[in-house]
Amino acid sequence: MPKSRSRLTRRGIVLLAALPLLVALVVVVVARQLGESDCTVEVGTRSVDLDQDQAERASLAVAKVVRASGSARSAAKAVTSSTGLVGPAATVVGGALSGRDRGALFCRYGGGGSESDKLNVAGLTHRAAAVRTDMAKHFGSLPLGGFAPGGVNSGHMVGSAHYEGRAIDAFFRPITKANKQDGWALAQYLVANADRLALATVIFDGQIWTARRAGQGWRPYAVSHRNRSTKTIKILEHRDHVHVDVAD
């Protein structure tokens, strides 16, 4: 047999042997893409999938209800009018975005490319400043902190995005049922808009969502209790404030 034909035959055998593996990989990737929605709301045994546009539109609509101290029914109606979802689906989404169901809504996208580290007069990067403006627009005047003219250099955990002007804290004090509901309304609104706002992290009430592990949804966020007062633990676990930071 000529050498050229022999080499061709061996190559053909290798390709044929690898073909099933390649096909399997393609099937897995396609199945994963088809099976994953952009966002999910889970309350008990009920689960509602949303695409990114639906999540953003619903969050904006329900934010108006929250700002007006509207009812659960009003939140569900806002979901229906903004997304077309009806019945139990609208109720589930409305319950999450109004803060009545904690850690119920999560999205799989967020973050973004790098941006300038230049701070504005308030001590925030361009993206963080945009988040501050967005929160004020949709939730009104909120008590905010975690930033200062020229930047902050103390008062936060080592490596905190606050030191880079990429983070904002929105306070919901004292810790009450009503304030927790309002805090969750903001926290889940932020996650629903994480892609648009290029968010990296949202933390509230002992739960954390990150763009890097977005597919895992909300996860427990705990700190060591050793040698710490109850008040300090509550602050570090973000029981009384929503922390949000943007991609760097």
Side-chain angles (χ1 to χ4, degrees):
M1 180 182 293
K3 290 184 178 180
S4 60
R5 185 175 178 183
S6 177
R7 288 196 298 270
L8 180 61
T9 301
R10 286 198 295 272
R11 289 172 182 170
I13 292 173
V14 171
L15 288 172
L16 286 174
L19 187 59
L21 177 60
L22 293 173
V23 171
L25 288 173
V26 170
V27 169
V28 169
V29 170
V30 172
R32 182 178 180 183
Q33 291 177 340
L34 291 176
E36 285 190 351
S37 59
D38 294 336
C39 302
T40 300
V41 180
E42 295 179 347
V43 179
T45 59
R46 292 180 175 176
S47 179
V48 179
D49 290 331
L50 306 168
D51 61 37
Q52 192 65 56
D53 184 58
Q54 284 179 314
E56 291 179 9
R57 285 189 280 112
S59 69
L60 293 170
V62 176
K64 293 181 180 179
V65 175
V66 172
R67 190 169 180 179
S69 300
S71 65
R73 178 176 293 183
S74 296
K77 287 183 177 179
V79 172
T80 297
S81 63
S82 61
T83 66
L85 293 173
V86 297
T91 300
V92 168
V93 175
L97 288 171
S98 62
R100 289 174 169 83
D101 295 305
R102 67 191 293 267
L105 179 147
F106 66 95
C107 293
R108 295 173 174 82
Y109 301 101
S114 61
E115 71 159 344
S116 170
D117 57 4
K118 182 179 179 180
L119 304 183
N120 66 7
V121 294
L124 294 171
T125 64
H126 175 75
R127 282 178 179 159
V131 172
R132 181 188 184 189
T133 299
D134 188 88
M135 290 193 297
K137 178 180 179 181
H138 298 293
F139 287 86
S141 179
L142 295 170
L144 304 177
F147 58 96
V152 295
N153 52 29
S154 64
H156 300 278
M157 298 179 71
V158 175
S160 172
H162 286 289
Y163 298 133
E164 300 175 358
R166 296 190 293 107
I168 299 172
D169 290 331
F171 299 97
F172 293 89
R173 295 170 173 169
I175 300 175
T176 63
K177 182 178 180 180
N179 280 342
K180 279 199 174 189
Q181 180 174 315
D182 289 343
W184 273 111
L186 175 63
Q188 294 182 134
Y189 166 88
L190 290 169
V191 170
N193 290 274
D195 187 46
R196 176 174 66 86
L197 296 172
L199 303 186
T201 310
V202 180
I203 311 173
F204 181 58
D205 196 22
Q207 298 286 314
I208 182 172
W209 173 94
T210 62
R212 186 169 61 86
R213 296 169 61 181
Q216 297 178 32
W218 288 92
R219 314 187 311 274
Y221 182 83
V223 299
S224 172
H225 291 198
R226 186 177 180 181
N227 299 324
R228 286 173 171 161
S229 67
T230 300
K231 180 180 179 180
T232 299
I233 292 169
K234 288 180 178 179
I235 293 173
L236 292 177
E237 291 184 346
H238 301 73
R239 302 289 180 179
D240 65 346
H241 68 282
V242 174
H243 167 100
V244 56
D245 64 57
V246 297
D248 56 13

